[in-house]
């Protein structure tokens, strides 16, 4: 009899080619451990053989559970679905492409057993990432950690261990903009860290591109900070004050020297500059209003099409 259970939560989106090596590595690591485990695989609306391949592995293996979503909701929602369904004493989200090495799982469990409710897996290096990705990621963490009250650890993905207590709190967070790294950090609790070198993807391709990453970064910033709109109060005040001073200067100048016609260029520049500033302000407001709009709909975060291997369903 094993005394505790670990839930591995893995989102799969068009990962048909990675599934075999994923399970091989996971079984190799987890089958000789002192704990029992479940692997919750979420098929995030894949259009390839992912679901079929997952089902093949699930036959006769009661440790594998499958949740199939009705369409592609995105990694954050797939993860949420998996975390909601996990029953273990601790939960570990891990990618399907083996970029998060399963060898780390026993080390994370050891730290957890020492009493840390959260164990982060931190990338010791990002050598497999391009210089551009490394640079922009670094810049993003700098910005978000300045703007937001929760501190989001750099070089840490979703790969981490969370105790049941932490997971239960996470499950109560109802928001639709699911920037998981931020939500994990928001929950808090004492953390331990283990380090690893991030490998290249074993198979298939990354699902991210620059545009998606940009929007992901905006989601992170706008869901964890109101500073971007609050800045406008101060910016507005500064501009109004400068305008007042400049206005007084012009009035005085006119009184002393009389009316002079030139000034078209400076006028045009000022109008263009301030309309630009106005539009940026409206755009920023829009970012928040758009998110409020999505939240008010209270739509479910994900829709489950099929569940396989769960006790109550089979
Ligand atoms: N993923 C997902 N839904 C998506 C995109 C990705 O479930 O819409 C999964 C994907 O199958 C993988 C994990 O999220 O298990 C990480 O994706 P990826 O390797 O593309 O991201 P990267 O490692 O490049 O950040
Ligand atoms: Mg990956």
């Amino acid at each position: 009899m094993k005394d505790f259970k670990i839930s591995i939560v893995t989102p799969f989106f068009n990962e048909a080619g990675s599934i075999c090596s994923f399970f091989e590595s996971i079984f190799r690591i987890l089958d000789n451990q002192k704990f029992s485990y479940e692997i919750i695989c979420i098929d995030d609306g894949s259009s390839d053989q992912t679901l079929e391949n997952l089902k093949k592995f699930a036959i006769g293996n009661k440790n594998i559970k499958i949740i199939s979503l009705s369409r592609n909701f995105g990694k954050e929602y797939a993860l949420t679905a998996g975390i909601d369904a996990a029953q273990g004493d601790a939960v570990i989200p891990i990618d399907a492409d083996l970029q998060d090495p399963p060898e780390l799982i026993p080390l994370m469990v050891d730290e957890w057993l020492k009493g840390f409710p959260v164990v982060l897996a931190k990338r010791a290096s990002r050598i497999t990432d391009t210089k551009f990705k490394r640079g922009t990621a670094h810049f993003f963490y700098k910005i978000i950690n300045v703007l937001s009250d929760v501190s989001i650890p750099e070089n840490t993905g979703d790969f981490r261990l969370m105790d049941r207590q932490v997971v239960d709190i996470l499950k109560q967070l109802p928001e639709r903009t699911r920037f998981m790294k931020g939500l994990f950090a928001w929950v808090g609790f004492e953390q331990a860290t283990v380090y690893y070198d991030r490998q290249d993807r074993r198979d298939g391709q990354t699902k991210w591109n620059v545009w998606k990453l940009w929007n992901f970064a905006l989601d992170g910033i706008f869901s964890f900070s109101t500073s971007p709109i609050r800045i406008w109060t101060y910016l507005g005040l500064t501009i109004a004050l400068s305008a007042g001073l400049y206005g007084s200067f012009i009035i005085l100048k006119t009184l002393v020297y009389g009316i002079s016609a030139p000034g078209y260029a400076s006028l045009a520049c000022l109008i263009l500059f301030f309309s630009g500033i106005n539009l940026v302000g409206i755009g920023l407001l829009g970012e928040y209003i758009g998110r409020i709009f999505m939240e008010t709909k209270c739509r479910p975060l994900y829709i489950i099409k099929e569940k396989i291997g769960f006790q109550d369903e089979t």
Side-chain angles (χ1 to χ4, degrees):
M1 186 61 199
K2 310 208 172 183
D3 4 316
F4 58 90
K5 184 175 185 174
I6 301 290
S7 298
I8 308 291
V9 174
T10 310
F12 291 81
F13 177 52
N14 293 343
E15 299 281 6
S18 314
I19 290 179
C20 203
S21 47
F22 171 76
F23 280 121
E24 263 172 25
S25 312
I26 286 276
F27 292 151
R28 185 165 45 79
I29 308 288
L30 294 187
D31 278 342
N32 324 308
Q33 299 293 335
K34 51 187 182 295
F35 50 83
S36 62
Y37 67 91
E38 62 177 2
I39 308 172
I40 305 204
C41 308
I42 306 96
D43 167 40
D44 187 15
S46 304
S47 52
D48 64 358
Q49 297 293 304
T50 299
L51 185 58
E52 287 74 12
N53 290 2
L54 285 175
K55 282 181 178 170
K56 273 184 217 152
F57 275 93
I59 294 172
N61 189 334
K62 61 178 176 28
N63 293 332
I64 300 181
K65 298 172 181 178
I66 304 172
I67 297 175
S68 169
L69 300 185
S70 62
R71 63 170 170 85
N72 177 240
F73 279 85
K75 179 184 178 188
E76 313 282 305
Y77 298 90
L79 263 186
T80 308
I83 290 173
D84 286 348
Q87 286 160 349
D89 301 295
V91 173
I92 304 181
I94 179 169
D95 285 357
D97 55 11
L98 293 175
Q99 283 195 289
D100 303 331
E103 289 77 12
L104 230 58
I105 295 174
L107 303 181
M108 293 163 109
V109 171
D110 284 345
E111 292 296 313
W112 172 59
L113 290 175
K114 282 184 202 160
F116 289 99
V118 175
V119 185
L120 301 180
K122 203 165 182 158
R123 300 166 197 178
S125 67
R126 295 182 74 121
I127 35 171
T128 55
D129 281 341
T130 58
K131 226 175 171 181
F132 174 75
K133 191 162 177 192
R134 262 183 282 165
T136 47
H138 181 67
F139 182 64
F140 167 71
Y141 284 106
K142 271 258 146 43
I143 295 272
I144 198 162
N145 283 327
V146 166
L147 291 181
S148 152
D149 291 338
V150 285
S151 112
I152 298 176
E154 194 173 342
N155 291 337
T156 312
D158 298 324
F159 187 33
R160 62 187 67 207
L161 178 147
M162 288 170 291
D163 184 76
R164 171 56 41 199
Q165 188 190 7
V166 180
V167 172
D168 285 341
I169 296 170
L170 199 63
K171 281 165 73 174
Q172 289 169 22
L173 304 184
E175 56 230 78
R176 259 127 275 272
T177 312
R178 296 204 78 81
F179 183 70
M180 293 308 269
K181 277 191 268 261
L183 296 181
F184 292 151
W186 183 88
V187 173
F189 288 96
E190 247 185 290
Q191 301 177 341
T193 308
V194 292
Y195 291 89
Y196 71 104
D197 284 319
R198 190 155 167 95
Q199 304 298 318
D200 264 333
R201 226 175 199 285
R202 282 282 176 86
D203 195 278
Q205 277 178 356
T206 175
K207 311 293 181 303
W208 295 95
N209 55 38
V210 175
W211 181 243
K212 275 192 180 172
L213 277 172
W214 164 253
N215 283 308
F216 186 60
L218 290 190
D219 266 348
I221 290 171
F222 293 129
S223 355
F224 280 89
S225 169
T226 49
S227 306
I229 31 173
R230 291 184 50 223
I231 288 169
W232 289 85
T233 316
Y234 301 99
L235 196 69
L237 280 176
T238 318
I239 291 177
L241 198 72
S242 328
L245 289 175
Y246 186 55
S248 323
F249 166 71
I250 292 176
I251 291 172
L252 270 179
K253 202 173 134 197
T254 316
L255 287 176
V256 176
Y257 297 106
I259 296 167
S260 65
Y264 165 77
S266 55
L267 211 60
C269 285
L270 286 175
I271 291 174
L272 288 175
F273 176 69
F274 289 111
S275 7
I277 293 259
N278 266 325
L279 287 177
V280 176
I282 294 173
L284 268 171
L285 267 183
E287 291 286 349
Y288 286 93
I289 294 175
R291 283 172 176 79
I292 298 169
F293 175 63
M294 294 314 283
E295 294 291 337
T296 53
K297 289 172 188 273
C298 292
R299 284 184 185 152
L301 296 176
Y302 51 83
I303 297 169
I304 296 177
K305 185 173 70 183
E306 197 180 354
K307 263 177 141 182
I308 297 156
F310 290 87
Q311 240 89 59
D312 43 347
E313 262 81 20
T314 47

